[in-house]
Amino acid sequence: GENVEQHPSTLSVQEGDSAVIKCTYSDSASNYFPWYKQELGKRPQLIIDIRSNVGEKKDQRIAVTLNKTAKHFSLHITETQPEDSAVYFCAALINDYKLSFGAGTTVTVRA
Amino acid sequence: DSGVTQTPKHLITATGQRVTLRCSPRSGDLSVYWYQQSLDQGLQFLIQYYNGEERAKGNILERFSAQQFPDLHSELNLSSLELGDSALYFCASSVDSSMNTEAFFGQGTRLTVV
């Protein structure tokens, strides 16, 4: 299968708190997992990615963890700010050429 | 600016009509991918071209077709349009035949079928 499940579909957090989005995938051969951020009316933009040879990657306030055995990966945003409000998509690379996307999580950061 | 250019940005057309969406990939990128994003939905993979050849097909309807030209720009043709075809259509490009590196998305074409 090629499904990527993403939860939650919506997430509201207080400014300064952390946000966590979780994804699971079905293709055990997947080895590349990017996360995209899409602001309202704009294009998706890559914010961080992780490959199957590492378990965690961090970039300032954003981190991603990967558990290949359980086939799930998560995005962690710490010290959230209003500009973090957007839709976040996880994805898994299928058959080396196709990015299969999750349904997206709408994150709202309350001031 | 991602370097991927899509035209037009907006398109309004009637049911039964045919439209063509255009995508110019980033300079040096050989692969072009087309995705459909319906309202409040995720990104559905339609089709991929690599260096002029079709490489992969996703959930693309028979009414839809695409091609990549020698200069590497791509066109997505949508025919016999239905109301349900209204969506944001994104093109993305990457340097090689795999999406195992960053894929850059264009700004999208918003298609409204009335």
Side-chain angles (χ1 to χ4, degrees):
Chain A
E2 303 177 348
N3 291 338
V4 176
E5 300 288 333
Q6 182 172 348
H7 300 281
S9 58
T10 61
L11 182 59
S12 179
V13 296
Q14 189 68 38
E15 182 177 358
D17 288 349
S18 295
V20 180
I21 304 170
K22 298 181 179 181
C23 290
T24 59
Y25 60 98
S26 56
D27 187 350
S28 57
S30 295
N31 57 8
Y32 176 62
F33 308 90
W35 286 86
Y36 282 81
K37 176 183 180 182
Q38 186 178 25
E39 297 177 0
L40 190 62
K42 296 190 176 181
R43 63 184 173 92
Q45 288 186 272
L46 181 74
I47 55 172
I48 195 168
D49 56 15
I50 191 168
R51 300 180 190 277
S52 58
N53 57 345
V54 298
E56 184 173 359
K57 185 176 178 180
K58 196 170 182 180
D59 183 4
Q60 298 182 4
R61 297 186 296 106
I62 294 174
V64 58
T65 59
L66 171 65
N67 183 326
K68 282 223 75 178
T69 303
K71 290 192 283 188
H72 66 70
F73 56 113
S74 301
L75 178 72
H76 304 252
I77 307 173
T78 58
E79 300 172 25
T80 53
Q81 300 169 6
E83 54 264 37
D84 294 329
S85 295
V87 180
Y88 292 81
F89 292 97
C90 64
L93 188 65
I94 309 294
N95 295 330
D96 205 37
Y97 59 79
K98 171 186 170 182
L99 271 182
S100 184
F101 284 85
T105 298
T106 301
V107 174
T108 303
V109 180
R110 306 186 307 272
Chain B
D1 183 10
S2 66
V4 180
T5 304
Q6 286 187 250
T7 57
K9 289 185 179 177
H10 303 277
L11 196 51
I12 301 175
T13 189
T15 54
Q17 296 298 304
R18 171 191 168 95
V19 297
T20 297
L21 313 183
R22 182 189 169 103
C23 170
S24 294
R26 288 190 323 152
S27 176
D29 285 358
L30 300 179
S31 274
V32 169
Y33 311 80
W34 286 97
Y35 280 84
Q36 179 192 55
Q37 186 177 37
S38 300
L39 190 63
D40 296 331
Q41 296 293 312
L43 293 146
Q44 299 297 319
F45 171 72
L46 295 178
I47 197 164
Q48 180 209 2
Y49 280 83
Y50 174 71
N51 203 20
E53 300 289 329
E54 179 186 307
R55 189 161 189 271
K57 260 186 176 179
N59 302 319
I60 187 167
L61 300 172
E62 286 190 10
R63 300 183 286 109
F64 296 0
S65 64
Q67 54 185 327
Q68 186 179 30
F69 296 86
D71 67 353
L72 301 177
H73 91 271
S74 177
E75 292 181 355
L76 179 67
N77 301 296
L78 315 177
S79 61
S80 302
L81 285 167
E82 302 174 359
L83 295 177
D85 297 327
S86 296
L88 198 52
Y89 291 84
F90 283 105
C91 162
S93 75
S94 65
V95 66
D96 56 22
S97 61
S98 166
M99 286 190 100
N100 202 12
T101 56
E102 181 172 359
F104 293 85
F105 282 80
Q107 293 285 3
T109 292
R110 182 170 295 283
L111 173 67
T112 303
V113 182
V114 298

